[in-house]
Amino acid sequence: MSIDLAKNLYAKMPDVLAKARKKFGCGLTLSEKVLVSHADDFDTQVWERGKAMLALRPDRVAMQDATAQMAILQFMQANKKQAAVPSTIHCDHLIRAEMGSEKDLVRAMDENKEVYNFLASAAKKYGIGFWKPGAGIIHQVVLENYAFPGSLIIGTDSHTPNGGGLGGLAIGVGGADAGEVMAGLPWEVLHPKLIGIRLTGRLSGWTSAKDVILYLCGLLTVKGGTNKIVEYFGPGAETISATGKGTICNMGAELGATTSVFPFDQKMVAYLNITDRADLANLAIANKSLLVADPEVYQSPEKYYDQIVEVDLSTLEPHVVGPHTPDLARPISKMAAEAKEKGYPVELKAALIGSCTNSSYEDISRSAHIAQQGLKAGLKAKTSFLVSPGSERIYHTMKRDGFLDTFEKLGGTVLSNSCGPCIGQWKRADGVKGKADSIVSSFNRNFPGRNDGISETLSFLASPEIVTAYAISGDLTFDPVNQTLKGADGKEFKFEPPQGEELPSKGFAKADEGFVAPAANGEGLTVEVPPTSERLQLLQPFPRWDGKDFEKLPLLIKTKGKTTTDHISPAGPWLKFRGHLDKISDNMFLGANNAFFPEPGKGTDVLTGETGLTMAQIARRYKAKGIGSIVVGDENYGEGSSREHAAMSPRFLNVRVVITKSFARIHETNLKKQGVLALTFADPKDYEKIEQQDRISVTGLSSLAPGKPVQVTIHKTDGTALTIQANHSITDQQIAWFKAGSALNALN
Ligand code: MIC
Ligand code: SF4
C-alpha cells in the first residue's frame, strides 16, 4: 500500500483539528479527529451528535464478493471511467466449506466462475484491486494491508470496523454507498454519538480480547451501539494486541455500533512493522498526537463521551454468548447451570474456530496450546472441529509453525481462507432439519440458521481457545477454567491456561498472496456479464415516485420479534444469486416470523385469501396487479449485516413502505437508498394495532420534510379507520432519492 494516503491525511489534520477545537470549544476525542479531518467541507458542515448528517470523504472502499456484485452493478450505472478512491474487492464469501481447503477452492473457482470473472474484469477496468478467491477474508486482508491509524474506510460488510484495531474508523455500508463514493460523491452518515469504554487492568489466563466484546454485547445489547461510535481508551487498551483490538472492533458490529476504534499505540506499531509497513509505523509515531484523543478528554472522559463504561480486564471472566443472539451472555462458569435450567442440548456437535473475527496469530497459537494439551492427555476432538484461517499469511504461518498439524492431529479440518461456515456455506454432514442441537464457534454472529441452515440449531460463541477446549470435551457444561477432564488413561487432568504469542517471532510466512492489480488504463476493457447468466443481471432503474400518496396498500408481512437481514434475505444457498436481483428476491423474508402465520417466511395473499405462500410469491402477485405493499417490523429491524438485498428485494417486489418500532443503521440507509419509505411508529404500541387484513395509507407525501411526522391511516375490514403518526429520519437529499425512485436514479 502506498503511504501517500496517510502522509496527505496527517499533513492536513493539524489545521482542521485546530478549527474543530475552536468550533466545538473543547478538546477532541479520537473519533471526532477522524471525522472532522474527513469532512467534505468542514466549514459548512453542521456538527451535532445524533442529529446532523455528515458528508465525509473516505480514504478507501473495500468490498467482499457477495456484496461487491451489487456495489459494482450500481457503480456501473454512474458511467465513470475509474473508481474515484482506492478500492479493493475480496473473494471470500462464495467458497463452500465441505471437503477441506484445496478441493473447496477448486470447486468454488468452477461454480462461481461467472461471478469471479465479472468482479475481476470490473476491477481491472475501473482501477480496483482484486484479491482472488482463497486470498483471505476481507477484514483480515484489510487489516494486514490497508487499515492505518486515523483512516476512514468504508466497506460493504458490517464487520468492516475490524480496522479500528489499527486506530482508524472503518465503517460497514451498503453497496449503493460504496458505488457512490467510488463515483466520486461524498459519503453520508448520521453524526454518531460516542460511547467511551475505559479499560483498566490486563487480560490474563483464559480471558482474551474476545471476552471484552462478548461481555459488552451482554451489557449493551444488540441495539446499544446504534448510531454510536464505541471508542476505547485507558491503560488497559495499551495492553491488548492490535489483532485483539481488531476482534473487539469487529464484533462491535453486534452492538449495532456505527464503528469502534482504539487510539494509536505501540501494539499497532508492532503490527504495522510485522506486516511490512515500518514506514507507516514511523509516520504514525511522528504524528501520534493526531491519532489519539486530546489529553483533556482522557482526564475527564465523562465530559466528552455520551456514555461511559468501565471494564477491568484483570477481573473479566471468559464469556459464552448465545444461542440465537450475540447479546445473551454469561461467564463460562455460569454456563452449566443455565444450560440445565433452559434445557439446552449439552452435547456439542461442532466446534469452529477462525473467521474474520478470530484468526490472528495470537488466537491460533493460544488455541493450538490447548489442542496440544488435549493431545498430550491422549484425547481428540469429540465434536467435528473446523478451522477457518483469515488469510494466506495466517495460513502459511500456521502451517510453518506446526499449528495446522496440531489441529489436524486433534481431528480438525482446515478450511480455505474464507467465510465458509460463518456465512452458511457449510455442508454440515450430521445436521438434521427440525432437530435442535448445539454448536459453538469463535465467530461473531449466531442468528438462527446462520451457519448450517437449520433454524433449530443452538449456536454459541466464545473465544477460539475456549471453543478448542469445548471441542475436546464435547460438552457445553464443561468449564475448562475451573473443571477437570478425564484423559485417555482415565486420570483427571486440568488444562493449563492458554499461552500463545501475539505475533510470530519469525515473522509472517508468505507465499503468493493472491492480489491482482488493476490495469493502468482500463478504458478499452469490457466488464464480463454473460447475457444468459443465472448469476448476474444488469440492473434496471426502479420507477420514479408517481407523486401520489400510498392509498390502502395491503400488508405484506408484520414481522414478529428479531428480524435480522438473515431473516429478510438469508445467505447460505442464496449467496449464489447476489448478483441477480430477480432470482435472489425469491428468498425475501424466508427466515422471518410472520405475526399472522405459524411458519416462518410464509403468509396469505390477502387479496385472494390463498394462504401458505412465500412472501415472494405473494409480493409478485401484487406486483403483477400493479399494487404496492407495506411491511411492518419490530425492534431493531434489519440488524446484522450490510447486505442491501434485504432492501433491494422488497423494493423490486413493490414494497413501498416499511414501518417498524426501530431500525438498525445500515439497513435503514439501505432502504432509503433504494427508494423505500422507512418509517418508525411514533408510539411503538401502535405496532399492536396492525392486523392482517388492514389496508394502510401513508399520506401527505408531497409535503414530506425532514423532521415532520407522516400520517398513517389503518383501514379496518369493518370499515372503520384509525390514524396514527409515524416518524422518520429522512433528510432533504433522501427525499430526493425517494422521489427519484432510488439514490442512484437521483444521480443520473
Ligand atoms: C455477514 O457476516 O453477515 C456478512 C455475510 O459478512 C454480511 C454481508 C453479506 O451479507 O454479504 C455483513 O456482515 O455485512
Ligand atoms: Fe465472513 Fe463471517 Fe466475517 Fe461476515 S462475519 S465477513 S461472513 S467471516
Side-chain angles (χ1 to χ4, degrees), residues 614-638:
T614 66
M615 288 302 146
Q617 283 169 329
I618 300 169
R620 284 185 194 276
R621 288 172 169 211
Y622 296 167
K623 185 176 172 180
K625 292 182 180 146
I627 299 170
S629 62
I630 193 155
V631 166
V632 167
D634 215 317
E635 294 277 9
N636 207 23
Y637 180 92

Side-chain angles (χ1 to χ4, degrees), residues 316-343:
L316 185 68
E317 272 187 75
H319 275 61
V320 183
V321 306
H324 302 320
T325 181
D327 55 3
L328 185 55
R330 83 287 285 161
I332 192 164
S333 57
K334 304 253 161 51
M335 188 72 233
E338 194 174 327
K340 210 164 167 195
E341 183 198 317
K342 297 196 173 149

Side-chain angles (χ1 to χ4, degrees), residues 64 66-67 93 157-159 423 445 450 578 641-643:
Q64 45 93 338
T67 48
H93 279 61
D157 191 281
S158 65
H159 292 106
I423 191 51
R445 260 182 202 152
R450 177 169 171 99
R578 283 289 183 87
S641 81
S642 67
R643 65 191 73 150

Side-chain angles (χ1 to χ4, degrees), residues 637-660:
Y637 180 92
E639 111 184 47
S641 81
S642 67
R643 65 191 73 150
E644 65 206 312
H645 306 77
M648 288 183 99
S649 291
R651 176 70 171 103
F652 179 65
L653 296 184
N654 243 5
V655 172
R656 309 311 312 269
V657 185
V658 177
I659 313 182
T660 67

